[in-house]
Amino acid sequence: MEQAVIYLKIIFAAVFVQNFVLSKFLGLCPFIGVSKKRSSAIGMGLAVIFVMTLASAATMLIYQYLLKPFKMEFYLDIVSFIVVIAALVQFVELAMRKLAPALYKALGIYLPLITTNCAVLGVTQLNLEFAKLNGITLTDCLLRSIVNGVFAGVGFTLALVLMAGIRERLESSPVPECMQGVPIAFIAAACMALAFFGFAGIA
Amino acid sequence: MDWKALSIALGSMAGIGAVLGIVLAWGSKRFFVKVDERVEQVEAILPGVNCGACGFPGCSGYAEAIVTSEATMTLCSPGGAECAHDIARIMGAEVEAVEPKYALTACQGGNVPNRFDYSGVHDCRAAVVPGMGGGIKHCTYGCIGYGTCARACPFGAITMNDKQMPVIDEEKCTGCGRCVEVCPRDLNRIDRESRTVFVLCTSHDKGAVTNKICDHGCIACKKCEQECPFDAIHVIDNLAVIDYEKCKLCGKCVDVCPKGVIVNLRKERRARKQARETAAKEATT
């Protein structure tokens, strides 16, 4: 029961309270770049969920079995994480192209865009909080990281799809000429971020 | 200086790098996917505007379809004949000449009054208002005039004139068909250059009604029907319709139409075609 509450808290925090785009302001590049159409926003979102999950698992293993035993966790985490994530995504892309062409068509074009995205790196850094907790088993730590990774991705997808819906409407709205395109998109994003700050006090 | 920590850090990073490098190298061999190099060549020739006129998702999708021979080489209307020729050279086949196509708006406006004040979104698709009996204009068939087609045109070929009607610049128009897709009234159409006589009205309202609300609407007077020597134009459901199987583009109906609904674009198009051919000749010499 207690475990379930902890996981629920992690999920709620990842999706709403600490939404990567709207309250941590990470991954703004894909957020603005790929939010013009809902279909591509969903594709991008799925790719982010996929990469964040993979990255969470892989970096936590690196941290527990390499960085921590050799006391390198304070200065080598970001460097090794970037390398591992980039290579992992690259490898998955290669394998996907050969083994699952349909999946590659849906996600493949977005994968290279997020190999070293700050949102992906951000989630692995947040996961390190779990590793620093006292009295937590290795599997527990790994499981929490993965859950956090999945739902951070879900939060990113939520923000991206909402934004794409808004921007599709903005397309046919009478926007002043100087504000058309990205400027009005940023203003809309700011309003969304304000709305998401309503979650700030929870949990 | 802590040499031990330094060497551990260096060694582990080098180790990670080496392992990942080897795995990636193995992976790229193991999962190698052969891509037909002609796809890239064809894609380089296509205009790259991703207009979708060919019916494929973007130029790269069309290039792939050409190479796998799912599609013919002449579907790209922005690229035109030249593009089809270049593609044919890569594919090792010949194609017949492609005739240019242009868009045309089948409505001339004609000062149709509004039925009510509209202050909603400045877009035809929004102003059609299905719940209110078909839009803000008294004519429920004609152009709404909010310029959705002009904004949709990827080539800037459509401008709105002072009567809020779209004007198509055939110099810029490539016949891609985007304007056809976006028009909620289905007024735009794409047609071959050599087809020059058109009925520019789509109203099925009774003649008396059309006469009252529009200066350039078909009033179903049947003068064109009587005048046509080839039995090629008929008034069907209060609207003159040309049967292009029979039409010889003589233009007699154009002269008798009391409302100026029928037009003949032959003169302008012939002049433009000649200019294009002389330009092509100059370019080759």
Side-chain angles (χ1 to χ4, degrees):
Chain A
M1 187 60 208
E2 210 174 300
Q3 284 290 312
V5 171
I6 288 175
Y7 281 108
L8 268 180
K9 267 186 184 170
I10 291 175
I11 290 170
F12 191 78
V15 178
F16 295 109
V17 183
Q18 300 197 325
N19 187 294
F20 263 83
V21 178
L22 296 174
S23 55
K24 289 209 168 299
F25 306 121
L26 288 171
L28 288 180
C29 169
F31 179 64
I32 294 295
V34 202
S35 60
K36 275 190 192 137
K37 265 166 71 185
R38 238 175 307 173
S39 54
S40 52
I42 291 171
M44 181 71 178
L46 291 177
V48 169
I49 294 176
F50 183 74
V51 172
M52 277 185 172
T53 313
L54 269 182
S56 293
T59 56
M60 191 44 85
L61 288 176
I62 290 275
Y63 184 84
Q64 296 286 10
Y65 288 108
L66 186 72
L67 298 183
K68 222 171 168 188
F70 291 105
K71 299 197 172 50
M72 298 185 291
E73 69 261 42
F74 301 113
Y75 56 94
L76 222 55
D77 49 354
I78 292 182
V79 185
S80 56
F81 287 0
I82 284 189
V83 175
V84 170
I85 295 169
L88 189 68
V89 174
Q90 202 78 48
F91 185 77
V92 169
E93 196 193 339
L94 281 172
M96 200 194 257
R97 196 166 180 188
K98 179 82 177 179
L99 305 176
L103 194 63
Y104 178 77
K105 275 221 161 121
L107 297 187
I109 41 172
Y110 305 109
L111 282 179
L113 298 178
I114 40 170
T115 42
T116 51
N117 190 274
C118 62
V120 177
L121 197 63
V123 81
T124 63
Q125 287 289 304
L126 280 186
N127 287 340
L128 295 185
E129 298 290 317
F130 300 127
K132 283 166 191 159
L133 290 175
N134 284 327
I136 184 168
T137 61
L138 258 178
T139 42
D140 233 19
C141 183
L142 191 61
L143 210 57
R144 283 188 199 185
S145 307
I146 292 173
V147 170
N148 193 32
V150 174
F151 284 93
V154 171
F156 183 88
T157 310
L158 177 77
L160 198 63
V161 173
L162 286 177
M163 186 65 183
I166 292 175
R167 282 184 78 174
E168 275 181 3
R169 291 215 157 193
L170 281 176
E171 282 284 298
S172 55
S173 306
V175 178
E177 203 171 332
C178 58
M179 302 290 277
Q180 274 167 11
V182 177
I184 194 76
F186 263 108
I187 290 173
C191 296
M192 284 168 75
L194 275 180
F196 266 69
F197 265 107
F199 292 112
I202 309 176
Chain B
M1 207 170 194
D2 190 349
W3 290 104
K4 200 183 160 211
L6 186 64
S7 54
I8 290 176
L10 266 178
S12 57
M13 281 310 289
I16 291 176
V19 170
L20 292 176
I22 290 166
V23 167
L24 277 182
W26 172 79
S28 67
K29 268 239 149 35
R30 171 73 181 74
F31 300 116
F32 181 70
V33 180
K34 199 166 175 251
V35 181
D36 198 330
E37 60 192 18
R38 288 180 303 179
V39 175
E40 278 171 28
Q41 289 172 353
V42 171
E43 200 184 336
I45 287 170
L46 293 171
V49 283
N50 294 323
C51 66
C54 51
F56 290 91
C59 293
S60 58
Y62 180 46
E64 226 177 284
I66 290 175
V67 174
T68 54
S69 54
E70 276 168 46
T72 56
M73 293 165 234
T74 54
L75 294 180
C76 182
S77 56
E82 206 177 308
C83 179
H85 252 314
D86 289 349
I87 295 171
R89 219 182 42 234
I90 285 175
M91 297 296 296
E94 275 301 315
V95 279
E96 66 265 46
V98 194
E99 194 184 344
K101 291 177 186 166
Y102 301 121
L104 186 89
T105 306
C107 178
Q108 301 183 75
N111 301 323
V112 180
N114 281 0
R115 294 153 73 209
F116 50 82
D117 277 341
Y118 175 76
S119 55
V121 178
H122 205 77
D123 188 290
C124 305
R125 285 168 292 189
V128 166
V129 211
M132 291 188 188
I136 56 168
K137 293 266 179 179
H138 261 296
C139 176
T140 54
Y141 298 93
C143 178
I144 294 156
Y146 281 154
T148 297
C149 52
R151 283 192 294 277
C153 180
F155 305 98
I158 307 181
T159 47
M160 302 303 287
N161 68 7
D162 48 358
K163 280 159 69 188
Q164 293 298 303
M165 289 298 297
V167 180
I168 293 163
D169 181 354
E170 292 188 351
E171 290 285 336
K172 290 179 184 165
C173 178
T174 63
C176 74
R178 274 280 185 86
C179 51
V180 179
E181 280 165 38
V182 297
C183 180
R185 285 279 160 83
D186 244 347
L187 291 171
N188 295 320
R189 45 217 54 185
I190 305 290
D191 229 320
R192 293 178 285 137
E193 187 184 38
S194 59
R195 184 171 291 173
T196 54
V197 179
F198 295 97
V199 177
L200 297 187
C201 182
T202 54
S203 169
H204 291 289
D205 282 336
K206 287 211 172 68
V209 178
T210 310
N211 195 20
K212 215 160 107 190
I213 57 175
C214 181
D215 297 346
H216 293 296
C218 179
I219 53 172
C221 66
K222 301 201 176 186
K223 274 189 184 157
C224 48
E225 207 175 301
Q226 288 152 15
E227 189 69 23
C228 182
F230 307 104
D231 189 38
I233 188 163
H234 295 280
V235 174
I236 303 167
D237 193 11
N238 295 312
L239 177 65
V241 180
I242 297 175
D243 179 359
Y244 287 106
E245 298 274 301
K246 294 177 183 166
C247 179
K248 302 268 192 268
L249 308 172
C250 69
K252 284 196 174 149
C253 50
V254 179
D255 301 331
V256 295
C257 181
K259 286 290 194 175
V261 172
I262 313 175
V263 294
N264 192 347
L265 306 172
R266 188 164 45 189
K267 263 186 209 157
E268 303 129 56
R269 285 198 174 161
R270 187 176 282 170
R272 195 169 313 108
K273 198 175 175 188
Q274 267 167 7
R276 202 173 57 221
E277 273 163 8
T278 49
K281 245 179 220 162
E282 271 167 30
T284 50
T285 52

